[in-house]
Each structure stands twice: as structure tokens, then as C-alpha cells.
Amino acid sequence: MRRPTMTDVAREVGVTAKTVSRVLNDDGPVAVETRERVMAAVRKLGYQPNLMARNMRVGARDAAIGLVIPEMGNPFFGTVAGGIESAVRARGLTLIVGSSSETPELEQSLIAAFLARRVSALMIVPSAASDHRHLRSERVAGLPIVFLDRPAVGLTADSVVSANRAGARSGVAHLISYGHRRIGFVGDVPAALYTRRERFQGYRDALEAAGLPFDRTLVDTGHDADAAAQATLRLLALPAPPTALFAGNNLAAMGAVVALAKSGRKEVALVGFDDLPLAEVLDPPLTVVAQDPEAIGVAAAERVLLRLDGDRSRARGTLVPTRLIVRGSGEQPPRG
Amino acid sequence: MRRPTMTDVAREVGVTAKTVSRVLNDDGPVAVETRERVMAAVRKLGYQPNLMARNMRVGARDAAIGLVIPEMGNPFFGTVAGGIESAVRARGLTLIVGSSSETPELEQSLIAAFLARRVSALMIVPSAASDHRHLRSERVAGLPIVFLDRPAVGLTADSVVSANRAGARSGVAHLISYGHRRIGFVGDVPAALYTRRERFQGYRDALEAAGLPFDRTLVDTGHDADAAAQATLRLLALPAPPTALFAGNNLAAMGAVVALAKSGRKEVALVGFDDLPLAEVLDPPLTVVAQDPEAIGVAAAERVLLRLDGDRSRARGTLVPTRLIVRGSGEQPPRG
DNA sequence: TTGTATGCGTTATCAC
DNA sequence: GTGATAACGCATACAA
């Protein structure tokens, strides 16, 4: 009933564990006949090597990379993970993923779980309000750590993030180029999260570059799609409502789309940050500043692989460019 | 530079490794003062317990559950994973997820990686054309294995799947109840995958129950949204085109939506299997047979926890009900 | 070509 | 309350 060990296989064949080890690891010479008998015994007993024991003996870390994402169901993070996985797989590394549910406590306990399993590297999409000072000793010990989507807090480390500020700026500039002067911002509380701060800054950058005033009343926020829809309705109900909206994230964009559709205000121009699956079949089709989650994952994986290869140069921040996808909703001129 | 071990901590305090172990595991008596000094040394040295060594010594399996999904970026599987994680977290288990990219080879190597790490249980969303005979010995050895979304092939094991056939039948019956007699099926090759076979069967069930003939020319397939759009256009171009369409999965539904919108044939009724994020803001809003991925994950997790608690009863197949969400596209009467 | 002795970091057992 | 010793499953170093 016990799971067979290398010794069990050895006994079955009538050799020593070391010989079995040699066969399994292609290490050192072994007679052809012995090899075959060992392999037969391995199959017969259903032997599975114990990676934990192996890694411990070799003193090596586990050939796995730990990835922490805030949310599994979010296709953005899922696609990031997919990009990482395909990039590290070629190197024989296994990606193991855990989700923090956007809470610092779970993030920390996940990181601890990965460290306890002696992963070869850590990749982290930080949750809001988390702090990474506790990882300093790991950094010093040479463990590769890369932060994705949002930079580390309290720690100097590699990071790979979207060009949030430049992207938002280009989206708002796009609206301005179509003649809009009153552009609303629908998003999430800017202060909480790095990406939101950056995108909000990009919004202000674009206004400033065009010589337009910043009007705080044109900024409203909501945590999810429903709340964003409410925020949109409030903006439209202003005495001097905006003629265009910029949505700071995909949930905000969904909320805005729903609100505009249900209130029959489809003439209001809209540009969203982050693409949506059905953006092109909406009425009007949604113009977005698209991120490239797969590219973020691949870039982060390449950085980790470099570090694993011994690159000890100083921490680097990588910006992954965004792309403006013109579909219709952002090219409607001001009305009313 | 070396990572500190329990012995390092012990030396720092002037005790034995066993004492440190006692402190860290709340195992056996230890003087209050000793405990405090140990904890201080742990913090000072940044000691992280080595789970590999611990598990090896204890002979226990890793307090982790291995989950194999076909695709990380797919929100359906992501949400399933989220459901599992929240359910197993309460038991102190860590969920580690890997993606097979829908290929049997990667699926097998991922499973091997999990087995080599001695996970406590295995949860698998099988990829197309994979076979699970090789897991028989693990089943016999008592390793809990649960299959999700699609049942195992060549292995008797627990499974948790959507009520695909009944769900598809209800969706098509819905269309029939609005007077449709020629209902097209847009999907993926039915034979390849369990879910597709089942949904196709549900389609045929509904026709038969209503006394409608099965017309093979009304069935067309496409692997992705673009191909499904092409399939939709082919169906609409038939001499006697369908007045309603049933889409066998969410990609097929997206393709059908795009094709209907772009060809100006919005009067054609449409019901999709599997919900879409923006279904309600489409024109017309999309009626769907929705699955409950979170419920699938939770149900599977509960089954695994039961098995871990020693339940040795025979393998059980759990059906998670679907839900018809009426939004408009499926309630349009036949025209032309 | 194969075997023996040893140790990885941890905990079980039993002694003090 | 604490320590000494052995053992988990495997690979390294060296011997045969």
C-alpha cells in the first residue's frame, strides 16, 4: 500500500538504489540489461520519483516558479499566467499559480508557501495595499523576484508593467483630437492602486497637454461594473455633462457601456482602458487602449530566466506598450 | 549566503534543532523563555522552514492540491479554479495550478510534476483526446482524483460536470417554444470532446421531443469565434435557412453574434451555451444557458475534501445544473 | 559496471 | 524541558 521508493525498485531488480538512480538520471554507466530490468521494475511497481527528496539531496531549489495573482477568474491575469508558462516551459520549469484574492494577508501566506517549497523564482502581481519589505532577505539571498502589472512596495526589484500613464494619455488625447473639451473619467479610487494612479495621471497629462482645465466634478468612481454604471449616470446628470468618457479599467468600461446603452446616450464618446472580448460587436463598437497581458507575462518570464542564468545587474523596470484600438465609440464628435 | 536551517537557528539560540522544531510546530513542552529566544532568532536570521524536508520526514504528502486546466486565460477555468481555491483554503491546503494547453502530453507531464511533488490530491480538467489509464495505480494507492468539466477516460473516478445535455436541451426547447422549427446548431466538432458531444445530443433530444426532424445541413462547426462566424454565415445562406440558432459554446456564440450583427440579420433568434461578460448589452441581449463554474469548483473541492477525510465509497459523478438566462435574443419569433 | 558510506533538513523516539 | 540519535528518499564521492 505504501508508495514504492527507489529502494523498492532496487530490491525488485536485485541491485542497489544507486544503480536505479543511475538509470533514472542517465548518470554514469549502466549495463544495457540492468537498465532494462530497472525500467521494467519501475513500470511494474508504478514508481514515481520523489522530487522533494531529490531536491533536498541535490541542494537545488525546486524546478518550479511560484506566481501570485490577485484573481484566477480574471482573464487578464490568466493570460499573463499563460504567457509566463509557455515561456518557462521550454526550460523545463513548472509554473505553479496561487491567487491572493487581492488581500495582502493571503498574498503573504501564498508567498510563504512558495518559499517553503523552495521555488526557483517568485513572480508576483501585488494586491492593493501590500508591502514587500519582508522579501528583502530573499532578494539578497539571490532569489529572482519579478513584479508584474504593478511594482513592488518597499523593495527594489524587477518589474514588468503596462505603460499605464502613456496609454491613458493617448486614449484621452484621442478623444481631444475629435474635438471633446469636457471629458469625464470613470474609474476606481485613484489613490489605492498603482495602475489606477498612473492612468489617472495619464488622463490629467492629456488634458494639460491640450491646455484643458482639470475639472474634479468630471471624475467619478466605482469599484465594479455596477458602481461604474452608477458613476456614469451621475456624470451624465451634471448641469454641464461631459461629451466624452474615459474609463480607467475594463470593469469601469463595462459599466459605462451598460449605462450609456440603457439611458439611450450612445452619442457620448467612450474610450476604455483594457480590451473586452466583445468590444467590436457593441453598439457602437468600443474603442480601447488595449494592454498586452501575454507580452507582460513573456517579458517577465524572460527577466526571470536571465536572473536564473546568473544576471546580477540592478533591478530593472520594463514598460510594455499599450495599443489604441479604434472601433467607433471613441470617434464620435461632441454633441449637445 | 546560504539559507538558514533549523540547525542554524538552534546554534544561534544555544539549543538543539529539536527544540526549535518543537517551538515552530507547537509540539511538546518548551520553556516560555526558550520559545521567545527561538522566535527572535527565527526573525533575526529570516529562517523559512523547508517544507520539502518536513514532508519527507513526516512521510506525509504535500499539503497542496494539484489542478490541471487546459487554459489559463479562459475565465471559465479560472473561475472554476477560484471556486476550488476558496473551498480548500479553509483546510490549510494550497492550490497549485498548471495549464495543459489542451494537449495530452503536457497534461501528462503536469500530472507527473504534481505526483513527483507528492500533492495530496489531483484535480483534472482533461484535455481533448487524453487518456487516464496511467492514473489507475494512484487511484488504487488512495490518491483522491477528481475530474472536472469532462469525465475521465479509461479510469473510474469522481467527476463534477455541468448538466450539458439537459442544459442544451432546455435551450433548444426554449427556441422551439417560441415557434421555431428550423434551428441551426453552431458548435465545435461534436465527436472530439465530451462536452460538445453532450450538448449536441441535448440539441437532438429537444428536436426529437418536439417531433421535429433532425436536419444535418443545419449543423455547422468552427473551432474559434471567427470560424463560428463563418459557419453562421454559411447556415444563413442556405436555401432554407434556420430561423434560430443554438451555439454550443461561448466562442461559437461570440462568432454567431458577430456574424448576425455584421450581416444585419438580428432577427434570427439565438441562444448560446455558456454566459458571456457583456451578454446583456448586446443588441439584442443574448439569451444563454449559463454554467456555474464556481459551483463546479466548489463541488469538486468538497468531493476531494471528503476523500481526504477517508471516504472510500465508489466513484461518483456529480452534475451541476445549468440556468437559462432569458435576455431577448432567444425570444424572437421565426421570421421569413 | 556496480556498491558503500554519508549527508541534505527535518521530526520521532527515547533518554536524561 | 531538553538533547542524542536515527531515519525519511535520494544523490555525491569514492571504492571495488
XYZ file of all heavy atoms in Angstrom, chain A residues 126-208:
637
model
N 1.173 42.202 -7.248
C 0.835 42.611 -5.875
C -0.640 42.957 -5.757
O -1.247 43.472 -6.689
C 1.680 43.871 -5.651
C 2.665 43.907 -6.764
C 2.043 43.178 -7.901
N -1.213 42.655 -4.612
C -2.572 43.106 -4.360
C -2.496 44.505 -3.764
O -1.435 44.969 -3.368
C -3.290 42.146 -3.414
O -2.524 41.937 -2.256
N -3.625 45.175 -3.715
C -3.656 46.541 -3.197
C -3.120 46.559 -1.772
O -3.313 45.621 -1.011
C -5.089 47.052 -3.228
N -2.411 47.593 -1.441
C -2.001 47.828 -0.056
C -1.058 46.774 0.507
O -0.920 46.639 1.704
C -3.229 47.929 0.851
N -0.416 46.006 -0.361
C 0.536 45.046 0.194
C 1.932 45.666 0.229
O 2.236 46.607 -0.484
C 0.529 43.746 -0.602
O 1.041 43.951 -1.891
N 2.747 45.104 1.073
C 4.086 45.628 1.289
C 5.067 44.474 1.128
O 4.772 43.349 1.525
C 4.172 46.205 2.706
C 5.507 46.871 2.969
O 6.513 46.149 3.137
O 5.550 48.103 2.999
N 6.230 44.738 0.538
C 7.120 43.623 0.213
C 8.482 43.705 0.878
O 9.438 43.089 0.423
C 7.254 43.512 -1.303
C 5.941 43.385 -1.987
N 5.293 44.443 -2.578
C 5.105 42.323 -2.130
C 4.143 44.042 -3.070
N 3.995 42.774 -2.823
N 8.541 44.466 1.964
C 9.807 44.583 2.675
C 10.306 43.218 3.151
O 11.495 42.949 3.169
C 9.629 45.511 3.890
C 10.417 46.796 3.776
C 9.992 47.737 4.868
N 8.571 48.052 4.711
C 8.069 49.262 4.947
N 8.857 50.233 5.351
N 6.788 49.483 4.795
N 9.360 42.374 3.518
C 9.733 41.061 4.072
C 10.481 40.194 3.070
O 11.060 39.171 3.434
C 8.485 40.323 4.557
C 7.490 40.021 3.472
N 7.309 38.768 2.962
C 6.649 40.830 2.771
C 6.380 38.808 2.018
N 5.971 40.052 1.876
N 10.485 40.612 1.809
C 11.171 39.809 0.795
C 12.611 40.245 0.586
O 13.325 39.678 -0.237
C 10.401 39.882 -0.528
C 9.116 39.062 -0.557
C 8.334 39.311 -1.844
C 9.441 37.575 -0.432
N 13.025 41.269 1.338
C 14.383 41.781 1.126
C 15.443 40.716 1.303
O 16.372 40.607 0.508
C 14.646 42.953 2.092
C 14.023 44.237 1.592
C 14.364 45.396 2.494
N 13.617 46.589 2.049
C 13.569 47.707 2.730
N 14.209 47.824 3.890
N 12.880 48.735 2.264
N 15.304 39.912 2.355
C 16.342 38.908 2.603
C 16.399 37.893 1.461
O 17.476 37.414 1.102
C 16.080 38.199 3.934
O 14.804 37.600 3.914
N 15.256 37.578 0.885
C 15.244 36.651 -0.246
C 15.954 37.252 -1.450
O 16.718 36.576 -2.145
C 13.796 36.306 -0.634
C 12.994 35.610 0.449
C 13.545 34.221 0.749
O 14.176 33.619 -0.146
O 13.379 33.753 1.887
N 15.694 38.523 -1.671
C 16.384 39.230 -2.753
C 17.889 39.142 -2.543
O 18.650 38.813 -3.459
C 15.963 40.711 -2.753
C 14.707 40.999 -3.513
C 15.004 41.237 -4.979
N 15.860 42.397 -5.198
C 16.565 42.587 -6.292
N 16.523 41.706 -7.255
N 17.310 43.653 -6.419
N 18.295 39.446 -1.325
C 19.714 39.413 -1.006
C 20.286 38.015 -1.219
O 21.385 37.835 -1.731
C 19.950 39.867 0.462
C 21.410 39.695 0.835
C 19.508 41.313 0.636
N 19.487 37.007 -0.853
C 19.949 35.630 -0.995
C 19.999 35.208 -2.468
O 20.414 34.100 -2.786
C 19.035 34.693 -0.204
N 19.555 36.104 -3.355
C 19.683 35.812 -4.778
C 18.462 35.190 -5.414
O 18.507 34.750 -6.562
N 17.344 35.120 -4.682
C 16.128 34.568 -5.294
C 15.571 35.565 -6.304
O 15.287 36.706 -5.949
C 15.083 34.289 -4.218
C 13.784 33.659 -4.732
C 13.992 32.178 -5.006
C 12.648 33.870 -3.746
N 15.415 35.141 -7.550
C 14.824 36.050 -8.544
C 13.374 36.369 -8.187
O 12.579 35.464 -7.939
C 14.899 35.259 -9.854
C 15.938 34.213 -9.626
C 15.847 33.879 -8.169
N 13.061 37.654 -8.140
C 11.689 38.089 -7.858
C 11.303 39.140 -8.886
O 12.016 40.141 -9.043
C 11.560 38.685 -6.439
C 12.162 37.755 -5.396
C 10.110 38.979 -6.115
C 12.063 38.279 -3.974
N 10.209 38.922 -9.565
C 9.743 39.898 -10.548
C 8.305 40.272 -10.230
O 7.472 39.393 -9.967
C 9.827 39.330 -11.984
C 9.234 40.314 -12.983
C 11.264 39.007 -12.348
N 8.041 41.562 -10.255
C 6.684 42.041 -10.016
C 6.008 42.367 -11.332
O 6.632 42.937 -12.230
C 6.714 43.256 -9.091
C 7.084 42.895 -7.691
C 8.413 42.720 -7.329
C 6.110 42.685 -6.729
C 8.768 42.352 -6.042
C 6.454 42.313 -5.438
C 7.779 42.144 -5.097
N 4.747 41.989 -11.434
C 4.022 42.192 -12.686
C 2.830 43.101 -12.487
O 2.188 43.080 -11.430
C 3.517 40.856 -13.232
C 4.560 39.842 -13.658
C 4.877 38.917 -12.504
C 4.050 39.045 -14.838
N 2.546 43.866 -13.511
C 1.362 44.713 -13.582
C 1.454 45.921 -12.655
O 0.975 46.990 -12.983
C 0.087 43.903 -13.293
C -1.160 44.698 -13.627
O -1.152 45.358 -14.682
O -2.118 44.695 -12.833
N 2.036 45.688 -11.475
C 2.211 46.766 -10.511
C 3.575 46.568 -9.860
O 3.988 45.431 -9.617
C 1.127 46.704 -9.433
C -0.255 46.436 -10.017
C -1.200 45.875 -8.964
N -2.460 45.425 -9.582
C -3.396 44.743 -8.943
N -3.226 44.420 -7.668
N -4.492 44.371 -9.560
N 4.293 47.646 -9.564
C 5.639 47.488 -8.992
C 5.581 47.084 -7.516
O 4.533 47.138 -6.885
C 6.240 48.882 -9.154
C 5.085 49.804 -9.236
C 3.939 49.036 -9.807
N 6.734 46.667 -6.985
C 6.832 46.287 -5.583
C 6.732 47.523 -4.703
O 6.995 48.639 -5.138
C 8.146 45.575 -5.332
N 6.347 47.286 -3.455
C 6.280 48.367 -2.478
C 7.307 48.098 -1.388
O 7.294 47.038 -0.773
C 4.870 48.457 -1.855
C 4.825 49.525 -0.775
C 3.832 48.729 -2.928
N 8.219 49.045 -1.169
C 9.208 48.872 -0.111
C 10.322 47.912 -0.472
O 11.007 47.375 0.395
N 10.495 47.661 -1.756
C 11.508 46.705 -2.192
C 11.968 47.091 -3.600
O 11.147 47.417 -4.455
C 10.895 45.299 -2.220
C 11.806 44.144 -2.645
C 12.786 43.832 -1.529
C 10.976 42.919 -2.972
N 13.268 47.054 -3.793
C 13.778 47.309 -5.133
C 13.872 45.983 -5.867
O 14.639 45.113 -5.477
C 15.171 47.965 -5.068
O 15.087 49.133 -4.257
C 15.633 48.340 -6.463
N 13.081 45.836 -6.904
C 13.069 44.554 -7.624
C 12.638 44.781 -9.063
O 12.079 45.820 -9.409
C 12.123 43.572 -6.934
N 12.901 43.783 -9.893
C 12.462 43.858 -11.284
C 10.945 44.011 -11.346
O 10.219 43.475 -10.513
C 12.843 42.564 -12.025
C 14.344 42.450 -12.231
O 14.977 43.486 -12.506
O 14.874 41.334 -12.116
N 10.494 44.742 -12.359
C 9.058 44.834 -12.560
C 8.753 44.934 -14.045
O 9.561 45.426 -14.831
C 8.479 46.048 -11.823
O 8.937 47.240 -12.426
N 7.607 44.425 -14.406
C 7.129 44.499 -15.787
C 5.689 44.986 -15.740
O 4.821 44.284 -15.227
C 7.200 43.124 -16.479
C 6.634 43.213 -17.891
C 8.626 42.599 -16.512
N 5.466 46.197 -16.240
C 4.121 46.765 -16.160
C 3.716 47.383 -17.496
O 4.567 47.708 -18.327
C 4.031 47.848 -15.063
C 4.443 47.287 -13.708
C 4.907 49.036 -15.423
N 2.422 47.533 -17.678
C 1.928 48.228 -18.863
C 2.307 49.708 -18.786
O 2.490 50.257 -17.706
C 0.402 48.124 -18.957
O 0.012 46.881 -19.462
N 2.414 50.332 -19.929
C 2.644 51.777 -19.969
C 1.325 52.468 -19.658
O 0.686 53.073 -20.533
C 3.192 52.184 -21.325
N 0.913 52.366 -18.388
C -0.407 52.845 -17.998
C -0.601 54.333 -18.265
O -1.591 54.749 -18.853
C -0.631 52.573 -16.511
C -0.853 51.107 -16.224
O -1.892 50.560 -16.536
N 0.156 50.456 -15.648
N 0.382 55.110 -17.832
C 0.233 56.559 -17.925
C 0.217 57.007 -19.387
O -0.675 57.745 -19.810
C 1.376 57.227 -17.163
C 1.243 58.712 -17.061
C 2.179 59.253 -15.988
N 2.154 60.699 -15.948
C 2.789 61.421 -15.021
N 3.495 60.811 -14.062
N 2.723 62.741 -15.040
N 1.192 56.535 -20.151
C 1.254 56.909 -21.569
C 0.025 56.397 -22.307
O -0.522 57.083 -23.187
C 2.524 56.339 -22.196
N -0.440 55.201 -21.952
C -1.604 54.636 -22.621
C -2.857 55.453 -22.354
O -3.608 55.783 -23.281
N -3.065 55.782 -21.086
C -4.245 56.584 -20.741
C -4.167 57.942 -21.436
O -5.152 58.445 -21.979
C -4.325 56.755 -19.234
N -2.986 58.494 -21.413
C -2.796 59.787 -22.061
C -3.172 59.707 -23.545
O -3.872 60.577 -24.069
C -1.327 60.212 -21.911
C -1.032 61.500 -22.610
C 0.431 61.903 -22.434
N 0.719 63.009 -23.326
C 1.550 64.000 -23.042
N 2.176 64.009 -21.872
N 1.750 64.964 -23.898
N -2.749 58.660 -24.217
C -3.044 58.549 -25.645
C -4.545 58.365 -25.877
O -5.104 58.904 -26.839
C -2.265 57.380 -26.258
O -2.864 56.148 -25.907
N -5.211 57.632 -24.980
C -6.646 57.439 -25.126
C -7.413 58.743 -24.972
O -8.318 59.050 -25.758
N -7.025 59.531 -23.970
C -7.711 60.805 -23.742
C -7.358 61.797 -24.852
O -8.218 62.553 -25.326
C -7.336 61.363 -22.351
C -7.957 62.738 -22.138
C -7.788 60.400 -21.263
N -6.105 61.775 -25.282
C -5.695 62.654 -26.387
C -6.500 62.328 -27.645
O -6.847 63.224 -28.426
C -4.201 62.485 -26.653
N -6.801 61.049 -27.809
C -7.613 60.630 -28.953
C -8.980 61.321 -28.917
O -9.450 61.865 -29.928
C -7.769 59.120 -28.909
C -8.500 58.524 -30.068
N -7.979 58.492 -31.339
C -9.730 57.944 -30.149
C -8.841 57.912 -32.158
N -9.912 57.568 -31.459
N -9.589 61.317 -27.740
C -10.889 61.984 -27.589
C -10.762 63.481 -27.866
O -11.606 64.081 -28.542
C -11.436 61.746 -26.172
C -11.900 60.305 -25.885
C -12.138 60.105 -24.397
C -13.163 59.996 -26.677
N -9.704 64.068 -27.329
C -9.486 65.509 -27.518
C -9.337 65.834 -29.004
O -9.852 66.831 -29.503
C -8.238 65.972 -26.733
C -8.485 65.831 -25.224
C -7.867 67.409 -27.095
C -7.277 66.124 -24.355
N -8.665 64.945 -29.728
C -8.427 65.186 -31.156
C -9.739 65.175 -31.945
O -9.787 65.672 -33.075
C -7.458 64.147 -31.720
O -8.119 62.912 -31.907
N -10.777 64.604 -31.355
C -12.083 64.628 -32.030
C -12.938 65.797 -31.572
O -14.134 65.838 -31.843
C -12.813 63.297 -31.833
C -12.338 62.252 -32.817
C -11.169 61.533 -32.576
C -13.007 62.023 -34.025
C -10.698 60.603 -33.483
C -12.555 61.092 -34.934
C -11.403 60.383 -34.662
O -10.947 59.473 -35.576
N -12.300 66.710 -30.838
C -12.991 67.943 -30.509
C -13.590 68.011 -29.112
O -14.192 69.007 -28.736
N -13.424 66.952 -28.320
C -14.012 66.972 -26.984
C -13.232 67.888 -26.048
O -12.002 67.951 -26.100
C -14.056 65.552 -26.411
C -15.001 64.656 -27.166
N -16.354 64.646 -26.955
C -14.775 63.765 -28.167
C -16.935 63.780 -27.767
N -15.997 63.234 -28.529
N -13.983 68.626 -25.231
C -13.368 69.541 -24.274
C -13.743 69.189 -22.838
O -13.038 69.523 -21.911
C -13.810 70.986 -24.577
C -13.267 71.539 -25.909
C -11.753 71.707 -25.832
N -11.143 72.030 -27.138
C -10.655 71.116 -27.969
N -10.741 69.831 -27.664
N -10.104 71.470 -29.102
N -14.870 68.546 -22.695
C -15.294 68.083 -21.361
C -15.291 66.556 -21.370
O -16.204 65.926 -21.881
C -16.681 68.611 -21.022
C -16.731 70.143 -20.876
C -18.109 70.642 -20.436
N -18.548 70.096 -19.149
C -18.055 70.491 -17.979
N -17.115 71.402 -17.930
N -18.507 69.952 -16.860
N -14.250 66.004 -20.791
C -14.058 64.548 -20.822
C -14.118 63.986 -19.412
O -13.300 64.343 -18.563
C -12.705 64.190 -21.470
C -12.664 64.753 -22.903
C -12.494 62.681 -21.472
C -11.326 64.604 -23.580
N -15.086 63.121 -19.163
C -15.231 62.539 -17.839
C -14.293 61.354 -17.631
O -13.875 60.689 -18.581
N -13.943 61.122 -16.373
C -13.103 59.969 -16.019
C -13.908 59.057 -15.106
O -14.332 59.459 -14.018
C -11.828 60.441 -15.329
C -10.880 59.320 -14.975
C -9.861 58.950 -15.851
C -10.998 58.635 -13.760
C -8.979 57.913 -15.537
C -10.121 57.590 -13.445
C -9.111 57.237 -14.341
N -14.135 57.825 -15.562
C -14.818 56.832 -14.728
C -13.804 55.762 -14.360
O -13.227 55.118 -15.234
C -15.986 56.165 -15.479
C -16.710 55.175 -14.576
C -16.939 57.218 -16.003
N -13.582 55.618 -13.077
C -12.568 54.631 -12.711
C -12.724 54.181 -11.283
O -13.807 54.247 -10.714
N -11.634 53.716 -10.743
C -11.650 53.273 -9.364
C -10.860 54.292 -8.543
O -10.137 55.103 -9.088
C -11.029 51.886 -9.261
C -11.685 51.087 -8.161
O -12.126 51.701 -7.178
O -11.767 49.863 -8.300
N -11.008 54.218 -7.227
C -10.310 55.180 -6.381
C -8.851 55.264 -6.830
O -8.120 54.277 -6.721
C -10.357 54.740 -4.906
C -9.930 55.867 -4.002
C -11.754 54.258 -4.567
N -8.405 56.405 -7.291
C -7.070 56.507 -7.875
C -5.961 56.200 -6.879
O -4.969 55.573 -7.236
C -6.982 57.967 -8.319
C -8.383 58.458 -8.375
C -9.118 57.687 -7.333
N -6.145 56.586 -5.643
C -5.029 56.517 -4.703
C -4.645 55.073 -4.368
O -3.479 54.775 -4.118
C -5.381 57.260 -3.427
N -5.614 54.179 -4.385
C -5.378 52.854 -3.830
C -4.311 52.070 -4.585
O -3.388 51.521 -3.994
C -6.677 52.065 -3.822
N -4.437 52.034 -5.887
C -3.604 51.116 -6.634
C -2.734 51.844 -7.648
O -3.164 52.779 -8.303
C -4.522 50.128 -7.367
C -4.083 48.673 -7.323
C -3.838 48.245 -5.898
C -5.141 47.810 -7.963
N -1.532 51.360 -7.793
C -0.572 51.951 -8.720
C -1.147 52.192 -10.105
O -1.077 53.293 -10.655
C 0.647 51.042 -8.809
C 1.556 51.330 -9.971
C 2.497 52.356 -9.892
C 1.475 50.580 -11.140
C 3.337 52.620 -10.962
C 2.306 50.841 -12.211
C 3.238 51.860 -12.112
O 4.050 52.120 -13.174
N -1.764 51.128 -10.686
C -2.249 51.263 -12.062
C -3.288 52.362 -12.178
O -3.316 53.107 -13.150
C -2.882 49.937 -12.541
O -3.809 49.491 -11.569
C -1.808 48.887 -12.741
N -4.124 52.445 -11.161
C -5.194 53.450 -11.216
C -4.604 54.849 -11.109
O -5.024 55.764 -11.817
C -6.180 53.199 -10.084
C -6.843 51.849 -10.261
C -7.582 51.422 -9.021
N -8.064 50.049 -9.205
C -8.538 49.310 -8.238
N -8.608 49.803 -7.001
N -8.942 48.089 -8.469
N -3.655 55.009 -10.233
C -2.968 56.309 -10.097
C -2.361 56.705 -11.432
O -2.531 57.817 -11.907
C -1.853 56.190 -9.056
C -2.181 56.740 -7.703
C -0.934 57.023 -6.889
N 0.155 56.084 -7.071
C 0.341 54.991 -6.336
N -0.522 54.687 -5.389
N 1.377 54.214 -6.548
N -1.645 55.769 -12.034
C -0.938 56.063 -13.280
C -1.908 56.469 -14.387
O -1.670 57.403 -15.141
C -0.148 54.836 -13.728
C 1.068 54.562 -12.874
C 2.164 55.584 -13.108
O 2.624 55.695 -14.249
O 2.545 56.284 -12.141
N -2.991 55.716 -14.486
C -3.941 56.006 -15.563
C -4.614 57.350 -15.333
O -4.854 58.101 -16.278
C -4.976 54.878 -15.649
C -4.354 53.583 -16.111
C -5.321 52.425 -16.040
N -4.598 51.156 -16.116
C -5.152 49.970 -15.934
N -6.459 49.897 -15.666
N -4.438 48.868 -16.015
N -4.893 57.622 -14.085
C -5.491 58.907 -13.767
C -4.516 60.033 -14.124
O -4.901 61.070 -14.667
C -5.860 58.948 -12.283
C -6.590 60.179 -11.874
C -7.852 60.455 -12.386
C -6.027 61.076 -10.977
C -8.532 61.610 -12.007
C -6.701 62.220 -10.596
C -7.957 62.490 -11.114
N -3.256 59.811 -13.840
C -2.235 60.803 -14.199
C -2.175 61.001 -15.706
O -2.028 62.122 -16.195
C -0.858 60.369 -13.687
C -0.492 60.940 -12.336
C -0.668 62.447 -12.285
O -0.384 63.159 -13.242
N -1.183 62.930 -11.153
N -2.280 59.898 -16.438
C -2.268 59.993 -17.899
C -3.429 60.839 -18.398
O -3.291 61.635 -19.337
N -4.581 60.666 -17.754
C -5.769 61.468 -18.083
C -5.447 62.951 -17.886
O -5.678 63.782 -18.769
C -6.902 60.992 -17.181
C -8.113 61.897 -17.067
C -9.045 61.988 -18.096
C -8.341 62.626 -15.898
C -10.170 62.799 -17.967
C -9.456 63.428 -15.752
C -10.363 63.516 -16.790
O -11.475 64.316 -16.653
N -4.847 63.261 -16.743
C -4.518 64.670 -16.465
C -3.434 65.174 -17.410
O -3.472 66.332 -17.850
C -4.081 64.811 -15.001
C -5.196 64.428 -14.032
C -4.949 64.938 -12.632
N -4.791 66.386 -12.589
C -4.812 67.097 -11.475
N -4.968 66.487 -10.318
N -4.667 68.403 -11.506
N -2.476 64.320 -17.712
C -1.411 64.690 -18.663
C -2.007 65.163 -19.985
O -1.617 66.206 -20.537
C -0.507 63.490 -18.972
C 0.402 63.136 -17.806
O 0.484 63.921 -16.846
O 1.032 62.055 -17.869
N -2.954 64.370 -20.487
C -3.526 64.679 -21.800
C -4.280 66.005 -21.766
O -4.180 66.818 -22.695
C -4.457 63.547 -22.243
N -5.035 66.219 -20.676
C -5.762 67.491 -20.541
C -4.777 68.652 -20.551
O -4.946 69.637 -21.288
C -6.566 67.508 -19.236
C -7.712 66.492 -19.101
C -8.422 66.671 -17.763
C -8.695 66.630 -20.256
N -3.734 68.488 -19.747
C -2.774 69.575 -19.599
C -2.072 69.863 -20.929
O -1.897 71.018 -21.323
C -1.738 69.213 -18.529
C -0.839 70.374 -18.168
C 0.119 70.003 -17.036
O -0.239 69.108 -16.225
O 1.210 70.579 -16.992
